[in-house]
Amino acid sequence: MTNEKNVKYYDNLAVASSPHLVTALDTQKTMMWVLIALIPSFIASVFYFGAGAVILTVVCAACSMFFEWGYERLLGKKVTVKDLSACVTGVILAMNLPANLPVWMAVIGCFVAIVIVKQLYGGLGRNFANPAIVGRIVLLLSFTSYMTTWPVTRLNQTADALTGATPLGLLADGALAEAPSLKDMFLGNIGGAMGETCTIAILIGLVILIAKKIISPIIPCFYIGTVFVFSLIYYSVTGGDYSALHMALFHTLAGGVVFGATFCATDYVTSPIMKYAKVAYGIGCGLVTMIIRLFCAYPEGASFAILFMNVMTPLLDMVAQNYFYGIGAAEKAAKKAAKEAGKEAAK
Amino acid sequence: MFGAKHLNSIHAGHYKNTAGCATEVMPVPDVVKISMSQNIGAPCKPLVKKGDSVLVGQKIGDTDAFLHVPVHASVSGVVTGIETQRNAMGGYDTLVVIESDGKQEIDPSIKPPVITDQPSFISAVKESGLVGLGGASFPTWLKFNPRNLGEPMTLIINGAECEPFITSDHRTMLEDAQNIIDGALMIMKYIQAPMCYIGIEDNKQDAIDQFNRMFAEQGITNIKTFPLQASYPKGAERVLIYEVTGKTCNAGVLPADLGCIVSNVTSVAFLGQYLKDGMPLVKKRVTIDGDAVAKPGNVLLPIGTMIHDAIGFCGGYKEEPRKILMGGPMMGRAIFSDRMPIVKNNNAILAFTKEQSLIPEETACISCGRCHNACPFNLLPTGFADAYEARDVKRLNDLKVMQCMECGSCSYICPARRPLAFINKLAKGLVREASQK
């Protein structure tokens, strides 16, 4: 006690509620990983469609960020451009467009996506539908001929054929014989939205996202799986010039299924949180896509399917919370595991 | 994808910097301040007054209330005052201030307890002043006296130590293993448990190996080590019960009702020692770490040592501290002053500099569901937050907010940096308030 005066005590330390540790991954880094996962698709689109792809992507990313910044400044809100979510929206929207779309139309798409779909509903985390998907659908309905005039890839260009049909367009017109080979569809050497054609590039992105635990594999697996299984069953029953397996692969590789399943349907905000709701969501996306493709007027239905399931998301989450929620779920699973272990022991 | 063998957990980094630091015994400080509120339940009333001289192990606090354990002097010397001090919870504690004479004379009445049957075992545990040393500070004697005594019980000893930074339980297991075995055998005898499991995370392989070797040498077959995944929060009581027995322990259910009694490894080690010499709980092994501490390590110090003195023993502050935690970074409590004394259930003191103390800025929820996937009990913290904002008690109950054990995994994992665990605590308070009306 003699040297009490010389001792320095600290009496106003910082207090906070536990925990006092936090993981390194934040929203910005999450969005960064999505952008990284989009790089292979971007490279493929530049390879197949040339400078137009670069221009559209840059314009969309820049416009989306600008609209977000402008809206938040105008309304005196905190500017959240740094979290990169607007940039992700812009790039995903660009990947959903034909590479020869006039730039001013893409700007309108970005405006719809960022201002109308995202910000008017309260900004990041509050939108009920995927901004990029709605942006695309608005452009599709407003500028249908531009949005369905697909440029031919550079490898297939000839002097008199700068544009051509997509595989699904050919299917809808009953001209399946002219459709490209499955190999070309897998590699992306087909007409279509610039990011959607090259399946292998998208799959690289998917692997990156799953490996970095940015997304759960449930939604992409069940979405793509449902499309495959549904078309397999459909063509087994109806028959046709090609085998059911060929048609199932055709439907999986054509159009926006793989891209949508990887980058659009897995959008955190507009997809369910609960695991079993994710399963239902993935299956629902697949079913609606196939129903539109096979029975409706549009050749392609991935965007509409994802939008439809976006709206279903709160319902799915609610149902899942009623049946698979809390520690009881773990208990049920443990009982099941114990039963299985018992069966194995009996064997 | 839907694996259920283990509950959800997070990998928060271990930071077990002091695992290799053998325990150092701290010399008796000049002054100790012994809190009268060192257990869940009623605080004790001081039995001594200013000017009394006390001896090591002398009982200085007790009460007639049911849920309590007595408090003992940790040093010999003179009582210089009875203070009240604001505690980390915002309430006030009564502290008995003892100025040490440095002699550490032991109270002559201290001798090994005579235990012949279950009631004498319980009363000996009560007199030892033992509380749950894992952090909850629940009076141990009550835990060992379950209402369904006689039903088949399993003793689970918690050596998981899943909190980052803390290594005091690890050191206890390495340095005090024989006491743990002796204590465990004694507890098993009186709670009528045929089997005992020591749950240890597999990042403490040396402790697991040592126990297995000792069991083999001593021919013990009814105690087994149970390696756990090294992830947080495997040491939480309800998680540990699930991992070891597969039984689901809901909040509000006593583990004993499921036939499990869980005790911290340090509590058991203390009991093993107490049965030999009868010295009540007056010292504690504490991990002192954090980037503001000059020489981090494990220290055995008298209960009531001021945190400032304890850090002084570890070379003092290297840099100016901004945040000091009692306990680990996941569930530990940030205290506002380093004049606070060490209490029985302290297992770590962590002092962090300004850089390590920044509270991240909260951003909007992106509904990524990471909090749900991290929650050991499969709850939905982001749903709690929405319902709490709306003060919707029914929704909070539907979401089973009272099942939350405040482990902090949701806040840790949240990419939007939302203080979800904090909101859960507030929400639980709201539900409790509503149920009292």
Side-chain angles (χ1 to χ4, degrees), chain B residues 132-209:
Chain B
L133 298 180
S137 68
F138 186 79
T140 306
W141 64 269
L142 193 59
K143 189 185 268 183
F144 290 156
N145 197 11
R147 58 185 173 196
N148 54 346
L149 188 75
E151 286 177 23
M153 288 282 171
T154 307
L155 177 65
I156 300 171
I157 298 179
N158 186 351
E161 198 162 56
C162 55
E163 277 265 6
F165 287 96
I166 309 180
T167 58
S168 58
D169 282 355
H170 188 186
R171 293 313 304 180
T172 303
M173 287 189 279
L174 290 178
E175 296 167 16
D176 242 357
Q178 191 56 50
N179 278 337
I180 295 171
I181 294 173
D182 295 345
L185 290 170
M186 191 59 133
I187 298 166
M188 287 160 71
K189 186 172 166 192
Y190 288 109
I191 64 168
Q192 300 169 22
M195 271 312 289
C196 168
Y197 296 95
I198 308 181
I200 306 172
E201 284 192 354
D202 54 18
N203 61 349
K204 293 181 264 292
Q205 195 59 45
D206 49 352
I208 298 174
D209 292 344

Side-chain angles (χ1 to χ4, degrees), chain B residues 95-363:
Chain B
L95 307 176
V96 172
V97 184
I98 305 172
E99 202 171 313
S100 164
D101 58 10
K103 295 179 196 152
Q104 287 301 83
E105 279 178 63
I106 292 170
D107 189 335
S109 68
I110 286 176
K111 43 187 177 296
V114 183
I115 296 174
T116 51
D117 52 1
Q118 211 264 344
S120 64
F121 172 70
I122 297 299
S123 80
V125 174
K126 187 172 180 179
E127 283 309 305
S128 74
L130 180 60
V131 295
L133 298 180
S137 68
F138 186 79
T140 306
W141 64 269
L142 193 59
K143 189 185 268 183
F144 290 156
N145 197 11
R147 58 185 173 196
N148 54 346
L149 188 75
E151 286 177 23
M153 288 282 171
T154 307
L155 177 65
I156 300 171
I157 298 179
N158 186 351
E161 198 162 56
C162 55
E163 277 265 6
F165 287 96
I166 309 180
T167 58
S168 58
D169 282 355
H170 188 186
R171 293 313 304 180
T172 303
M173 287 189 279
L174 290 178
E175 296 167 16
D176 242 357
Q178 191 56 50
N179 278 337
I180 295 171
I181 294 173
D182 295 345
L185 290 170
M186 191 59 133
I187 298 166
M188 287 160 71
K189 186 172 166 192
Y190 288 109
I191 64 168
Q192 300 169 22
M195 271 312 289
C196 168
Y197 296 95
I198 308 181
I200 306 172
E201 284 192 354
D202 54 18
N203 61 349
K204 293 181 264 292
Q205 195 59 45
D206 49 352
I208 298 174
D209 292 344
Q210 182 178 305
F211 273 125
N212 288 340
R213 200 169 58 241
M214 290 175 80
F215 296 154
E217 281 167 10
Q218 300 175 20
I220 294 170
T221 52
N222 53 356
I223 308 182
K224 285 196 166 70
T225 51
F226 191 96
L228 303 162
Q229 290 174 312
S231 62
Y232 183 85
K234 287 289 176 257
E237 187 174 56
R238 289 156 61 197
V239 176
L240 187 66
I241 289 173
Y242 181 85
E243 296 288 328
V244 175
T245 68
K247 288 176 186 166
T248 305
C249 185
N250 280 307
V253 175
L254 290 176
D257 292 346
L258 300 173
C260 299
I261 287 186
V262 183
S263 195
N264 178 265
V265 71
T266 305
S267 303
V268 177
F270 163 74
L271 215 55
Q273 180 65 37
Y274 173 71
L275 297 171
K276 287 170 198 160
D277 62 11
M279 176 57 83
L281 184 59
V282 294
K283 26 180 210 209
K284 186 71 207 289
R285 186 183 273 103
V286 172
T287 300
I288 296 180
D289 198 355
D291 65 344
V293 178
K295 282 189 292 178
N298 287 294
V299 182
L300 188 68
L301 39 72
I303 284 164
T305 304
M306 277 191 289
I307 288 170
H308 181 272
D309 294 340
I311 291 177
F313 175 71
C314 288
Y317 298 109
K318 191 164 60 179
E319 282 172 69
E320 184 162 336
R322 189 74 191 99
K323 194 189 243 179
I324 297 183
L325 305 179
M326 268 182 165
M330 295 304 291
M331 285 188 83
R333 190 162 283 140
I335 54 171
F336 55 84
S337 165
D338 64 355
R339 284 180 213 250
M340 290 196 177
I342 305 270
V343 289
K344 287 173 182 173
N345 61 344
N346 266 170
N347 39 22
I349 298 294
L350 306 174
F352 295 104
T353 57
K354 203 173 172 184
E355 291 73 47
Q356 296 282 313
S357 309
L358 294 175
I359 297 172
E361 192 188 355
E362 183 185 351
T363 57

Side-chain angles (χ1 to χ4, degrees), chain A residues 7 11 14 20 23 268 325 327, chain B residues 250 308 322 329 337 399 417:
Chain A
V7 177
D11 283 328
H20 306 278
T23 179
Y268 291 144
Y325 181 75
I327 191 167
Chain B
N250 280 307
H308 181 272
R322 189 74 191 99
S337 165
L399 289 173
R417 307 299 189 229

Side-chain angles (χ1 to χ4, degrees), chain A residues 1-4 7-31 78 83 123-126 212-218 221-222 267-276 278-279 318 321 324-335 337, chain B residues 1-2 4 7 12 15 30-31 99 164 238 242 246 248-250 306 308 317 320-325 329-339 359-361 363-370 372-373 377-380 382 384 395 398-400 403 408 411-417 421-422 425:
Chain A
M1 295 298 274
T2 46
N3 55 353
E4 174 88 1
V7 177
K8 187 168 184 235
Y9 291 103
Y10 293 93
D11 283 328
N12 58 345
L13 297 164
V15 288
S17 180
S18 61
H20 306 278
L21 270 185
V22 68
T23 179
L25 187 80
D26 58 11
T27 304
Q28 188 193 13
K29 289 202 186 83
T30 309
M31 298 297 168
K78 206 172 136 272
D83 66 23
L124 181 63
R126 296 288 170 198
K212 296 308 290 183
K213 295 196 173 158
I214 302 297
I215 61 169
S216 139
I218 297 175
C221 290
F222 277 90
D267 172 32
Y268 291 144
V269 180
T270 54
S271 67
I273 289 177
M274 314 294 293
K275 271 181 197 159
Y276 291 92
K278 279 186 205 262
V279 174
M318 200 182 77
Q321 276 165 29
F324 308 101
Y325 181 75
I327 191 167
E331 190 173 28
K332 269 181 226 158
K335 269 186 198 152
Chain B
M1 202 185 296
F2 302 103
L7 296 178
Y15 304 99
D30 296 337
V31 173
E99 202 171 313
R238 289 156 61 197
Y242 181 85
T248 305
C249 185
N250 280 307
M306 277 191 289
H308 181 272
Y317 298 109
E320 184 162 336
R322 189 74 191 99
K323 194 189 243 179
I324 297 183
L325 305 179
M330 295 304 291
M331 285 188 83
R333 190 162 283 140
I335 54 171
F336 55 84
S337 165
D338 64 355
R339 284 180 213 250
I359 297 172
E361 192 188 355
T363 57
C365 174
I366 52 172
S367 307
C368 63
R370 283 192 173 82
H372 173 64
N373 292 332
F377 302 143
N378 210 10
L379 304 173
L380 187 62
T382 167
F384 298 154
R395 174 84 179 135
D398 286 349
L399 289 173
K400 302 180 188 174
Q403 295 291 341
S411 292
Y412 171 82
I413 208 76
C414 181
R417 307 299 189 229
F422 184 39
K425 289 175 200 169

